[in-house]
Amino acid sequence: MKVKAFKNEPINDFSIKSNVDKQKKALQEVRTKLGKTYNLFIGGKEYQTENKFNSYNPSNKDEVIASFSKGTVDLVNLAVETAYNKFQDWQYVSAEKKSQILFKAASIARK
């Protein structure tokens, strides 16, 4: 697999109206998704706990971005054990395959 040379993401010039409009549209879309509750995922299984915590918008402390299930000691232990067990297979995955997975994840994150 040939890896492209590193380059930074392009800078958006917000003196250009179309860039400002795209940013505003993106922010409006994100705002429709705020306030949801997210559970924990460990080993592909979902875990919901009674105790939750909120994540707040740092520029507007009254705005809840999302709520999350708080992990328990038992769930932390399960997560560590699951990660250790998964690593037993992952450690033998080739560097090329790992890089393909990470590049795919980066591509998804850019969207």
Side-chain angles (χ1 to χ4, degrees):
M1 174 180 173
K2 183 163 172 59
V3 177
K4 296 178 188 175
F6 173 80
K7 67 177 188 173
N8 286 320
E9 294 293 324
I11 296 174
N12 280 326
D13 183 348
F14 288 105
S15 68
I16 299 171
K17 185 179 181 325
S18 62
N19 288 341
V20 172
D21 292 342
K22 286 179 191 174
Q23 182 71 14
K24 285 181 179 178
K25 182 179 177 186
L27 288 171
Q28 286 174 340
E29 183 179 331
V30 167
R31 288 208 183 287
T32 66
K33 299 176 182 178
L34 299 181
K36 293 183 179 179
T37 298
Y38 296 92
N39 296 318
L40 302 167
F41 284 87
I42 303 170
K45 295 179 185 171
E46 186 173 10
Y47 296 87
Q48 180 178 358
T49 63
E50 288 185 30
N51 291 326
K52 310 277 189 238
F53 68 95
N54 293 331
S55 175
Y56 295 93
N57 179 346
S59 65
N60 179 357
K61 303 282 187 197
D62 295 327
E63 183 177 41
V64 175
I65 300 297
S67 295
F68 300 91
S69 285
K70 275 188 179 180
T72 63
V73 171
D74 288 340
L75 288 173
V76 169
N77 288 334
L78 176 62
V80 170
E81 182 180 325
T82 301
Y84 176 82
N85 290 336
K86 293 293 182 186
F87 179 72
Q88 301 313 304
D89 293 329
W90 179 252
Q91 67 182 328
Y92 298 111
V93 173
S94 71
E96 182 176 355
K97 181 65 177 172
K98 287 177 183 175
S99 68
Q100 289 171 351
I101 293 167
L102 293 173
F103 281 123
K104 183 176 180 180
S107 175
I108 291 167
R110 284 188 189 97
K111 293 178 183 178

